[in-house]
């Protein structure tokens, strides 16, 4: 039965127990004064160290932590895939770079949280791509716009220091921004800043954005929010609380950080050189109406957008490889990354051909 007719999907018993336990810890980690009991949440948030021993489908994915600004604990976990057959990076070919922003309602988790680490490692192997998973400051201790500042500053610092911190086979002409949930929100806003401040990014070329169930909203209650009150992981009570902890004091949910599509005109989105975008939506995600509006709003303003909906997927389904939607999701993301990367190669090839023809013409005329 489709998500339009029921309010929650069928899930295996063990997965339901995992989700119930997670919801329990998160609910009790919220304090009445709007802060978070970090000590309690840390009981659930298992951290893992970087390592170089994980092999996924014959792809060896190593990881390491790179510090960018210790004063605000800004760092990223770097995932580098290498084939186990020849020891070369990604089979010896140049790899795209994905700068990834994790989910967690702006308030929870980090690149070293086990689900985030597992997900990025799998994505690096399956794409393949080098992934920089960003550790940004968390709300409510650090409110808007700290997360966006950390996200964009990561781009600037990688742009300035790439030769020191990235493997030699990364192709900076194939840079993608990506994120899930709140990370998808951050990826969008960082992409806008990158377009507006392109002069600060002379080496990184952002060619695509992957927004996985991005965390958007507004004062309005959409049909999906009203219908999916019993959906796993997320409901409007929880999202309202997360927005309150993230936004500046006194701001409502029509703030441009939240109600993104409604504020496109204020940033003249039609004239922003925004990258091609993939938006992933789930049929049991209460936020799906906001995500669909976002994709439609980009398309209306002349941007290249691909909207993919998995009818039985709930919010954060991508964190559970045992679900049937997971391989479909990985395939769709891989196809998008490879398609945009191919377009870059074709464009560069054409530019080189034009340059050669121009040189020959000048020599002939001379």
């Amino acid at each position: 039965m489709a998500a339009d007719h029921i309010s929650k999907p069928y899930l295996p018993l063990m997965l339901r127990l995992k989700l119930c336990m997670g919801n329990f810890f998160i609910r009790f980690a919220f304090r009445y004064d709007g802060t978070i009991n970090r000590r309690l949440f840390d009981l659930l948030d298992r951290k893992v160290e970087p390592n170089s021993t994980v092999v996924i489908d014959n792809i060896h994915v190593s990881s390491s932590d790179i510090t960018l600004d210790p004063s605000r604990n800004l760092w990223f976990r770097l995932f580098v895939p290498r084939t186990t057959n020849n020891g070369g990076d990604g089979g010896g070919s140049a790899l795209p770079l994905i700068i990834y922003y994790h989910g967690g309602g702006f308030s929870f988790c980090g690149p070293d949280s086990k689900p985030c680490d597992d997900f990025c490692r799998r994505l690096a192997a399956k794409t393949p791509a080098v992934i920089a998973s960003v550790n940004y400051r968390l709300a409510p201790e650090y409110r808007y716009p700290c997360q966006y500042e950390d996200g964009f500053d990561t781009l600037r610092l990688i742009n300035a220091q790439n030769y020191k911190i990235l493997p030699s086979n990364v192709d900076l002409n194939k840079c993608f921004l990506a994120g899930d949930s709140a990370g998808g929100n951050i990826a969008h806003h960082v992409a806008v800043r990158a377009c507006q401040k392109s002069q600060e990014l002379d080496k990184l070329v952002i060619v695509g954005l992957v927004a996985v169930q991005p965390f958007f909203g507004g004062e309005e209650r959409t049909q999906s929010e009203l219908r999916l009150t019993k959906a796993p992981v997320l409901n409007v009570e929880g999202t309202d609380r997360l927005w309150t902890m993230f936004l500046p004091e006194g701001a409502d949910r029509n703030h441009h950080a939240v109600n993104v599509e409604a504020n496109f005109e204020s940033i003249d989105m039609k004239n922003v050189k925004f990258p091609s975008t993939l938006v992933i939506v789930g049929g049991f995600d209460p936020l799906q109406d906001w995500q669909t509006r976002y994709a439609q709003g980009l398309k209306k303003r002349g941007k290249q957008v691909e909207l993919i909906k998995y009818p039985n997927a709930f919010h954060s389904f991508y964190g559970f490889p045992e679900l049937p939607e997971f391989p479909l999701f990985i395939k769709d993301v891989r196809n998008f990354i490879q398609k945009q990367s191919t377009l870059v190669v074709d464009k560069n090839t054409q530019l080189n051909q034009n340059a050669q023809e121009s040189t020959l013409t000048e020599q002939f005329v001379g």
Side-chain angles (χ1 to χ4, degrees):
M1 187 174 292
D4 290 342
H5 298 95
I6 56 178
S7 61
K8 56 183 178 180
Y10 168 79
L11 297 174
L13 177 60
M14 289 305 297
L15 180 53
R16 278 186 284 153
L17 290 175
K18 287 182 185 178
L19 294 174
C20 286
M21 182 179 297
N23 288 338
F24 174 84
F25 271 92
I26 290 176
R27 185 179 300 114
F28 281 92
F30 287 118
R31 295 191 178 108
Y32 289 110
D33 62 359
T35 60
I36 293 174
N37 186 333
R38 296 290 180 191
R39 183 174 298 179
L40 177 60
F41 181 75
D42 286 347
L43 297 175
L44 175 70
D45 186 21
R46 177 186 169 192
K47 302 294 188 180
V48 293
E49 295 294 323
N51 65 77
S52 58
T53 60
V54 179
V55 178
I56 302 172
D57 293 344
N58 207 39
I59 302 293
H60 175 186
V61 182
S62 63
S63 62
S64 58
D65 291 344
I66 309 296
T67 298
L68 296 175
D69 184 353
S71 69
R72 50 176 155 159
N73 198 28
L74 180 60
W75 57 274
F76 64 81
R77 178 157 292 183
L78 186 68
F79 297 87
V80 181
R82 309 171 191 271
T83 59
T84 58
N85 291 333
N86 58 21
D89 295 348
S93 59
L95 295 176
L97 172 65
I98 301 175
I99 299 178
Y100 199 87
Y101 304 99
H102 66 82
F106 305 102
S107 300
F108 298 104
C109 302
D112 54 351
S113 298
K114 190 174 190 310
C116 301
D117 182 273
D118 287 347
F119 173 76
C120 285
R121 197 177 296 274
R122 288 191 181 95
L123 187 60
K126 299 284 189 179
T127 307
V130 172
I131 297 180
S133 179
V134 181
N135 186 71
Y136 53 83
R137 288 170 289 178
L138 300 177
E141 294 87 351
Y142 299 95
R143 292 174 176 265
Y144 164 93
C146 292
Q147 293 75 12
Y148 302 157
E149 291 172 347
D150 290 349
F152 180 70
D153 285 348
T154 298
L155 295 188
R156 289 196 308 102
L157 293 167
I158 289 178
N159 181 80
Q161 304 179 40
N162 70 86
Y163 64 94
K164 297 180 182 178
I165 58 182
L166 296 178
S168 60
N169 67 325
V170 168
D171 189 344
L172 297 182
N173 289 307
K174 303 175 186 175
C175 180
F176 294 81
L177 302 183
D180 65 278
S181 192
N185 177 300
I186 295 171
H188 162 78
H189 287 284
V190 170
V192 172
R193 291 193 182 196
C195 293
Q196 295 171 335
K197 300 182 178 182
S198 58
Q199 71 279 3
E200 298 185 34
L201 304 173
D202 61 330
K203 299 181 182 69
L204 284 178
V205 180
I206 299 171
V207 298
L209 169 66
V210 180
V212 184
Q213 297 183 298
F215 188 22
F216 299 138
E219 286 296 310
E220 174 194 350
R221 294 301 189 204
T222 65
Q223 291 185 8
S224 60
E225 287 175 317
L226 295 173
R227 183 179 73 252
L228 297 170
T229 57
K230 297 181 180 179
V233 179
L234 208 59
N235 56 37
V236 292
E237 178 185 357
T239 58
D240 286 357
R241 182 176 292 174
L242 291 169
W243 288 127
T244 299
M245 293 192 301
F246 168 70
L247 289 170
E249 296 286 350
D252 65 21
R253 294 189 305 276
N254 284 331
H255 189 278
H256 68 86
V258 186
N259 199 342
V260 172
E261 190 275 336
N263 287 280
F264 275 169
E265 300 307 324
S266 66
I267 60 171
D268 193 20
M269 178 57 84
K270 185 176 181 179
N271 293 312
V272 173
K273 291 187 64 177
F274 204 71
S276 298
T277 303
L278 172 64
V279 182
I280 300 293
V281 175
F284 283 100
D285 184 354
L287 301 178
Q288 63 183 277
D289 288 347
W290 294 111
Q291 297 155 1
T292 301
R293 287 184 190 180
Y294 170 70
Q296 292 173 342
L298 288 175
K299 187 173 183 179
K300 180 180 178 181
R301 290 159 180 85
K303 311 309 174 188
Q304 292 186 340
V305 186
E306 185 176 355
L307 175 67
I308 297 179
K309 181 176 181 178
Y310 308 119
N312 295 317
F314 58 89
H315 195 83
S316 76
F317 76 94
Y318 43 83
F320 303 93
E322 64 268 32
L323 291 174
E325 290 80 12
F326 184 80
L328 300 176
F329 162 73
I330 291 294
K331 179 182 177 182
D332 288 331
V333 173
R334 180 178 66 241
N335 288 345
F336 176 78
I337 298 291
Q338 292 180 349
K339 177 183 176 182
Q340 299 306 318
S341 297
T342 300
L343 291 175
V344 171
V345 173
D346 292 344
K347 180 180 179 181
N348 289 341
T349 300
Q350 186 62 51
L351 289 174
N352 289 335
Q353 290 177 348
N354 292 343
Q356 291 173 0
E357 291 173 0
S358 176
T359 300
L360 290 173
T361 300
E362 290 176 0
Q363 291 175 347
F364 178 77
V365 173

